[in-house]
Every structure is written in structure tokens, then in C-alpha cells.
Amino acid sequence: MAAKLKEMDGVFRQIISVLDEETLLVVMGDHGMDVKGDHGGESDDEVEAALWMYSKKGIFGRGRDEHVTPPKTAKIRPVGQIDLVPTLSLLLGMPIPFNNLGTPIEEAFLGRENNDWYNLASVDALTSAQIKRYQHEYALARGLDETATSGPLALWTKADEHWRKSLERKKPAADQLKEAAAAFQDYQRETLRICRRLWARFDIPNMLHGIEVLLAALLITAVFARLTHVDRTRLAPVLLRGIIAGSIVGTIIGGLIGLVIPAVPILDGSLLGVAAGGVLGVSYSGCKQPRKLLSPLPDSFWGWLSVLFTVAQSIGFASNSYTIWEDEILNFFLSTFALLAIASSLRQSNPTDRAIGIYQSSLFLLLTWLVSFSRLCREEQMPFCRSTYYASSTSSTSAPWQLCIPFTLALLLPDIIKTYYKGTRSYEGLAVVWIGVAFRMGLLLSAVFWTLDAADDGDWFSMPKSTLKLIKTSIAQIVLALTFAAGTSAFIWANPCINISVTQPPASSQPNGSTHGGPTAPVTILGPAKAPSVTILGYANVHGSRYFLLLTSWQLALTLQQKPMGGGALGILAWQILCLAEIIDTNALADSAIGPVTLGLLGNFHFFKTGHQATLASIQWESAFVPLATIRYPWSPALVLLNTFGAQILAALAVPLLVLWKQPPRKRGLLSNVAKAMATHMLYYAVINLATIMWAGWLRRHLMLYRVFSPRFMLGAAVLLVVDLVGVCVAVGSVRFNSLSVAEVFGWD
């Protein structure tokens, strides 16, 4: 540090040697630094910086005798950064900016002898007049009373009177000018204080109430997901009734409190009442049920790993560097899971499970590394990051070579899914038509759409743009219709992906029973002597193979809404979901929290790989016009949501798959386990959301609050809301249709 200071001292001496008398040298810093080299926090060393102004004319003075020598700390003679605005403007002979709220630095206008009080009072009068004019216009624009923003008008009136009286005399007394300058400065400081209260106000009580509600809801979710051993399909309706009843009562009580206590706004009271009432209602309903609570500590290595991933990520959000590089942290977590899954698979006694586990874990790791090459760098990552999502770091269109990605996806992804189905003889029934034909056709149409979009941007064709736009929107609408109309209808009404064949008995009869050669072999049910036998292909994965059709349906819509690079990332995500399902099955982890938590990590990781960041600037607003020519509500916002949160949506839809994959048709508690897994998945996002909110509140005075911490907590809240809605309304709701279809074929209620 001493060497650097000596070097900069030499730089300043060289600059001063070539200055003329008409040049002003200003040396300042935008922040300080603590003893560890950190900055951006609230400590004095971090928020204070030196200011040095130099002119060969010798125009500067000292307002007070104790300020003759440079102060040891900024507290002795503080100068706000906003004070530089009027100071430099007046020294340069330029108008003071309209929205300035700073005060002229008095040392710059008192003169070398420290007695030019007329000059100081003049610049203070000019600055105060500008501030009054700005606040007047601001009050008119916001519909506010001027006194609400410009402070007590008595301060302005008093300062103006002092100034006018001093001007009435040919040679104003120094005391009068001092009083006028002091009065104008009082008005400026009061105006700044009120504006800070209006614009930089943190409502600490409401912030704490919000955190309390979120924490209580998180604890209830944790109990429902991991700490109770009951049938969740029976418990959920009871808790839902408690939430509704408690919310209604809480809303009424909160509204009444707002009416009785004027200091509590009715809206604030009602919102707090509905939240607190819902929490108390569900708690009361849960306490009335038979208590079968489990230990809050995980009982396995994978359980502890789930906690470690969640807690480590949550703690890291206290660092702006960690938040900025979150995608790399998630890459590390997913790679760690894959390596540990390989180690766990090596310990499997069954050779088939061992081979499948090692292969799928290795494939999961390679796919994680492959998709990490898709990135959209945020400004704070420069120059250590290179964007590959678009044609260049300054472009918002895809490179020509990236148009190959959606065609490759249409060629390979259906066949990749087909191999997983054939592994359990489940490529039967609707799977043949949907995956082999409809799904591939939808991906191909999506690839054609993005090719035409690139042609439109690059003017490849001579046809009118309106015609090209019509063709593009028509293709996009066909894909969405294939997804939400044909795909949803087929999923609801389709039979399981099985093939049942009846074989006449041979001459030598066999006894009653069934044969099952393994997880990939068909099931043969033997009837009485001389009765036909029934062979069922796909029996080993009857639940999982049918449910995955829902993911392929949504995959079409989500891929369409992504740029070519993002569509490729979602294709890899679908492949990783199948890898994860096999890893969970071969290691017998269907009841563990590691599956839902890993899906949460995958969802957040692929959020970054689809060209998004925790910044408002990364929102791809043009996705609202993929199937539409103009903005249409509510469809346009919904399309932007599909684009922004596509990865988290697909991961949330995959949660039931981890429970249903390779499970026998009549396994008890299957629906309860699905609810448990979904609640665990939601719990992961709830912890992340609570952590980002708490850190943003704690670091509310941090330099990077509005650039890093606030956007991340807003993203966390939005993701939690989307995941909750999709997980409960779509994923868990679809499991009911899935179970009814299986039950109808196998003949039980």
C-alpha cells in the first residue's frame, strides 16, 4: 500500500506541474475500504472517502480555524457526494442541475482570506432557489402538498428575508451575510432530510412482520414435508380448511385493528391478519391431528447433504460476489452430487443397479458440464465471463450456428427418451405416437419458428415482414395447441404405457401365479390350468412412464418460448431429470429429500443457462410476441413467465416422477409420498426466498442493495410463487389423473 501511495503521489505531482490557472483538479473516491480490502458495507472505513480540490489561483479557504489542516476522519468535516453537484456546477459557471439536492461546499467559495461571505451567501441563495423550484415541480407531478417535500416554508421565508435585508445595504455586514448563508443551508438540509425520508425509507416493523410470517410458514412446511409420519393425502384437506378459516378471521381482525388504531393502515392490518391468521389456522388444525412427529435431524447421509446444499446456498447470499456468481456455485453443487452418486452406486450389491447407477451419475455430471457453456454474463462478472447465449455480448439475437441446436434437439431428444422407456418395456401405447411422432413434430416446428425468426431479423427473404410474422405466429400457435390442447387431453384420458397380450396355454398346464424376470422384464400372469396367460409389457414402470408424458407436453411449450440456446438447455434438463430418476431408483432414495432438493438446484441452475440473470435487464420481453402479433392480456405476461421460469417449472413438474419412477402399480402411500416430495421441493425454494429477503433487509444500506441483493430476493419470491402454483395445481393434480388411469386398467379403486 505504501508503494502504491508513493506512486500516486508522483502521478498527482506530474498533473499539477502542467495545470494552468484556469483548471481545477478534483481528486475524490466513490467509496472507501476496510482493513481487509472490502468495500460496499456500512462501516465508516467503507462509506467514507477523501476529497481533495486544488487550483493554482489559490481560491479556496477554510470556514473554521479547526479546519485549517486536513481532518483525520470524515466525521470532523463531512462532505456529501451530492454536494459536489452544485459546487462543481458553480465553479464551472454552469447552471445547477434541476434535481440537485446538494449544498455548496463552503471552503470553495469563502476565498483565500476566509471572508468572502457575500459570495458564499450568493451561491447558497442560488442553490436554495433551484431546490425550491425542483421540489415545487415534484409536488405538482406527484400530487403532493408542497410542504410535504420542501420542508417548513418558514425556513425558506426566513433565509429569503435575511438575504433581501443584506442586499438593501450598499455594503452588507458580514454577520448579516453569515446569517443569510446559514439560513439557506438550514433550508437545504431540512429539504434533504425530508426527501431521504420519502425516498430511502425502510419500514422496519413491516419488514420484520413479513419475515416472521415467512419463517412460520416455512416451519409448517418443514413439519408437513419431513417431520411427520402420517398419510398426507388425509392431512392436506384438514390443513387447507384451517388455512381458509384462519385467513378469513385474520382478515377481519386485521381490518378492525386498522379502523381502531389510526397509526395502522387498514391494508397493512388486513394483509398481516390474513397471513398470521392462515399460519395460526393451519397450526391449530395440525395440532388436533394424531401426533407422529419425527426427529428434526436427518437420518441419512443424503438427508444431511440436502440440508448442506440448502443452508450453504442460503448463507452465501450474504455476499454480493456469491450472488453474482450463483450459477457457478450451483454448478459446483450439482457436480458434487453427481460424484457422490457415482460413489454410492459403486457400493450397490446388485450388478445391474451398480452399472445403471454409475452410468447415469456419470452422464448427469457430463450433462451438467456441457450445459454450463451456455451463459449470459451480467455486468458485474466482466471481464471474467464471456457470454455465449447470444451472437455476442452486445447482441440480443442468436448466432447462425445456434440454429442447429433446435434441429438437433428434435432429432435426438425423442430417441433419448425412448431409450429410457424401452429399458422398462414401457414404449407402448400412447408413448409410441406421442413421443415418436407428436413430440418430435412439435420440436421440429419450434426449430422452424426460430429459423424464420432469424430470417426475419437478418432479412434473408424478400417476402413482406407481415407475411413472415403471420407464418411464425401460426407455427407457434400450432405448437402451443399441441401442448395445452392435444397434450393435456391425451394425458388425462390416455391409458398407461403398457401392452397386454394374452397367450393360450401350452399342452402342459402350469399352476396359478405370476413371473417377473426383473425390473426390465415383462410380467406374465398365469391363470388356472388350461387357462390363457397374460403378459404385461411396461408393468415395471407403469406410473412413471405415463406421468413423464406430462413433462414432454410442457417441454414443447417451454422450448418454443426459449431462444435456440435456451431450448437446448431445457432439452439437457429433461435428459438430466431422467438420469436423476434412475439415480434415485438404483440407490433407493425415493423417500429421501435429496431428489426434490437436487431438482431445485437443477431448476435454478438452468434458469441461468436459459439466458437469464437475477436482474431486471435480463428479462426477455420479446418472448411475449412469440405466438402473438400484439400484447394481449393475460396471455402476454404468461408467455414471459414461461420464458423466464421455464427451468423451474419443468423441474417442479418432475418432482412426482422421482416418486413414481419404477414403482409397482399398487404400492401403498404413493400419493402421500408425492405430496411429501413436492412439499420438500417447495421447502427448498422457501428457504432460499427467506434467506435472500433477510440478507437484503440486513444489508439495506449496502452499496449493492438495489443492484444485487434486492433483485435476487424479488427473483426468489417470484420463483417460489410460480413453483408453488405449478407444483400443487399442475404436478400434484396430474398425479391424480395418472393414478386413476392405472387403477382403471388394473381394476382397483
Side-chain angles (χ1 to χ4, degrees):
M1 181 61 73
K4 177 60 66 174
L5 289 174
K6 185 176 294 185
E7 176 188 347
M8 295 309 301
D9 182 72
V11 171
F12 290 142
R13 290 180 183 274
Q14 291 179 8
I15 294 174
I16 292 172
S17 65
V18 297
L19 288 182
D20 57 32
E21 293 191 353
E22 300 299 322
T23 303
L24 173 67
L25 174 63
V26 181
V27 181
M28 57 185 175
D30 61 339
H31 60 75
M33 184 176 67
D34 63 13
V35 293
K36 297 179 295 182
D38 295 333
H39 68 275
E42 297 184 71
S43 66
D44 291 343
D45 289 340
E46 293 172 279
V47 300
E48 295 174 358
L51 170 64
W52 185 56
M53 302 173 68
Y54 175 81
S55 171
K56 286 189 174 180
K57 279 187 176 181
I59 60 174
F60 300 132
R62 291 285 186 264
R64 300 179 184 178
D65 294 337
E66 58 267 27
H67 296 162
V68 172
T69 57
K72 293 182 179 180
T73 67
K75 288 183 171 58
I76 298 175
R77 175 61 181 104
V79 173
Q81 288 184 344
I82 60 173
D83 295 342
L84 289 168
V85 176
T87 301
L88 296 179
S89 298
L90 292 165
L91 289 175
L92 294 173
M94 300 173 62
I96 300 173
F98 174 66
N99 58 348
N100 165 67
L101 290 174
T103 297
I105 301 173
E106 63 179 29
E107 286 86 349
F109 302 99
L110 277 174
R112 180 182 297 182
E113 303 298 329
N114 300 324
N115 59 2
D116 197 350
W117 295 104
Y118 179 82
N119 188 38
L120 179 62
S122 298
V123 296
D124 280 331
L126 288 172
T127 304
S128 298
Q130 167 266 318
I131 291 175
K132 186 175 185 299
R133 183 169 61 255
Y134 167 68
Q135 293 302 325
H136 174 72
E137 297 297 331
Y138 177 83
L140 292 178
R142 297 293 300 271
L144 302 174
D145 184 356
E146 187 175 349
T147 58
T149 55
S150 63
L153 290 178
L155 291 176
W156 165 260
T157 304
K158 176 183 176 182
D160 190 55
E161 288 179 357
H162 281 296
W163 179 237
R164 291 182 183 277
K165 286 182 179 180
S166 63
L167 293 179
E168 291 175 356
R169 304 179 61 176
K170 292 183 179 181
K171 189 176 182 181
D175 292 341
Q176 285 185 312
L177 295 173
K178 285 183 181 180
E179 290 179 0
F184 280 127
Q185 291 171 7
D186 289 341
Y187 168 75
Q188 295 162 14
R189 284 191 289 266
E190 178 64 13
T191 302
L192 179 61
R193 185 189 67 80
I194 292 178
C195 289
R196 279 176 173 166
R197 189 183 64 188
L198 290 173
W199 300 337
R201 179 179 59 185
F202 295 96
D203 194 337
I204 303 299
N206 278 348
M207 291 168 62
L208 292 176
H209 291 325
I211 292 175
E212 292 164 1
V213 171
L214 287 173
L215 180 59
L218 187 149
L219 293 176
I220 293 172
T221 305
V223 172
F224 179 83
R226 311 304 308 177
L227 304 181
T228 184
H229 186 65
V230 296
D231 186 352
R232 291 169 179 81
T233 58
R234 298 179 181 273
L235 180 61
V238 176
L239 299 181
L240 181 59
R241 288 193 294 269
I243 292 175
I244 295 174
S247 299
I248 294 174
V249 174
T251 304
I252 296 173
I253 295 176
L256 292 176
I257 292 175
L259 290 174
V260 175
I261 304 176
V264 179
I266 296 178
L267 180 60
D268 289 358
S270 299
L271 290 176
L272 180 59
V274 68
V279 169
L280 293 175
V282 70
S283 301
Y284 176 76
S285 300
C287 291
K288 292 177 62 178
Q289 303 304 308
R291 298 186 180 182
K292 296 181 180 179
L293 295 180
L294 304 177
S295 170
L297 299 178
D299 57 359
S300 67
F301 167 78
W302 294 105
W304 281 109
L305 186 64
S306 304
V307 174
L308 177 63
F309 283 160
T310 306
V311 173
Q313 190 178 4
S314 301
I315 295 175
F317 287 120
S319 166
N320 59 318
S321 299
Y322 179 100
T323 307
I324 291 170
W325 292 97
E326 183 181 357
D327 54 337
E328 296 299 327
I329 303 298
L330 292 170
N331 189 357
F332 172 76
F333 284 164
L334 291 171
S335 299
T336 301
F337 165 77
L339 292 173
L340 293 174
I342 293 174
S344 176
S345 299
L346 286 170
R347 300 175 64 247
Q348 299 301 315
S349 58
N350 187 301
T352 302
D353 287 343
R354 183 166 59 248
I356 293 176
I358 294 173
Y359 172 72
Q360 296 297 337
S361 300
S362 303
L363 187 57
F364 185 94
L365 179 62
L366 291 175
L367 292 174
T368 300
W369 291 347
L370 176 62
V371 77
S372 66
F373 288 101
S374 172
R375 64 175 68 92
L376 178 68
C377 304
R378 57 188 294 165
E379 182 181 352
E380 295 85 356
Q381 293 176 321
M382 300 298 183
F384 307 104
C385 179
R386 186 172 68 87
S387 294
T388 59
Y389 190 78
Y390 295 116
S392 67
S393 58
T394 59
S395 173
S396 60
T397 59
S398 300
W401 69 267
Q402 293 176 338
L403 297 177
C404 299
I405 295 176
F407 286 100
T408 305
L409 193 67
L411 178 66
L412 298 180
L413 186 58
D415 289 334
I416 292 171
I417 296 173
K418 180 180 176 180
T419 60
Y420 285 87
Y421 272 67
K422 281 185 171 292
T424 54
R425 308 290 181 90
S426 300
Y427 196 65
E428 305 289 343
L430 179 64
V432 177
V433 177
W434 179 257
I435 297 175
V437 180
F439 183 59
R440 190 188 302 274
M441 185 61 65
L443 292 176
L444 184 61
L445 288 174
S446 178
V448 172
F449 170 87
W450 285 110
T451 302
L452 293 176
D453 183 75
D456 189 12
D457 293 336
D459 294 327
W460 296 354
F461 304 138
S462 59
M463 68 174 60
K465 285 188 173 293
S466 58
T467 303
L468 192 57
K469 179 66 176 178
L470 178 62
I471 297 174
K472 287 166 47 184
T473 54
S474 299
I475 292 174
Q477 290 170 6
I478 291 173
V479 175
L480 293 178
L482 188 63
T483 297
F484 295 114
T488 302
S489 300
F491 176 81
I492 292 175
W493 300 107
N495 289 323
C497 300
I498 59 176
N499 186 11
I500 302 176
S501 61
V502 180
T503 305
Q504 295 300 324
S508 58
S509 61
Q510 298 181 10
N512 297 345
S514 64
T515 61
H516 194 333
T520 63
V523 170
T524 301
I525 302 176
L526 305 177
K530 298 184 179 182
S533 61
V534 178
T535 301
I536 305 176
L537 298 177
Y539 183 89
N541 195 20
V542 62
H543 287 289
S545 61
R546 188 189 186 282
Y547 181 82
F548 189 78
L549 297 178
L550 177 70
L551 272 73
T552 60
S553 176
W554 278 77
Q555 178 94 32
L556 288 178
L558 297 174
T559 301
L560 173 69
Q561 286 299 116
Q562 304 293 334
K563 296 291 180 71
M565 202 74 168
L570 286 186
I572 292 178
L573 174 58
W575 195 353
Q576 287 186 288
I577 288 172
L578 289 170
C579 292
L580 181 61
E582 291 286 356
I583 294 170
I584 296 299
D585 174 67
T586 55
N587 290 274
L589 298 174
D591 195 50
S592 173
I594 191 63
V597 171
T598 303
L599 280 176
L601 295 173
L602 276 174
N604 281 342
F605 179 62
H606 283 268
F607 167 82
F608 296 102
K609 302 300 114 180
T610 52
H612 299 95
Q613 285 285 350
T615 60
L616 297 177
S618 69
I619 298 177
Q620 300 172 23
W621 298 106
E622 65 272 18
S623 60
F625 301 98
V626 169
L628 301 173
T630 59
I631 295 178
R632 294 184 182 179
Y633 292 95
W635 311 118
S636 295
L639 293 169
V640 176
L641 288 177
L642 290 178
N643 170 272
T644 306
F645 304 116
Q648 287 98 338
I649 290 173
L650 195 61
L653 291 172
V655 172
L657 183 73
L658 302 185
V659 180
L660 301 176
W661 194 254
K662 292 186 179 180
Q663 295 297 332
R666 301 193 65 171
K667 182 178 180 180
R668 289 184 175 275
L670 204 58
L671 294 180
S672 179
N673 291 340
V674 168
K676 177 181 179 179
M678 183 56 68
T680 303
H681 188 68
M682 294 161 57
L683 180 63
Y684 163 78
Y685 284 110
V687 173
I688 298 299
N689 179 47
L690 179 62
T692 55
I693 289 176
M694 292 178 65
W695 287 125
W698 179 260
L699 301 171
R700 60 188 179 276
R701 298 295 181 185
H702 196 282
L703 184 67
M704 292 292 179
L705 174 65
Y706 295 108
R707 193 175 184 89
V708 175
F709 297 109
S710 288
R712 187 57 186 87
F713 99 72
M714 290 189 290
L715 172 65
V719 169
L720 179 61
L721 179 61
V722 170
V723 168
D724 286 358
L725 290 175
V726 172
V728 174
C729 299
V730 181
V732 176
S734 297
V735 172
R736 176 173 176 80
F737 292 106
N738 203 75
S739 300
L740 289 175
S741 175
V742 174
E744 182 180 3
V745 171
F746 288 92
W748 67 79
D749 295 331

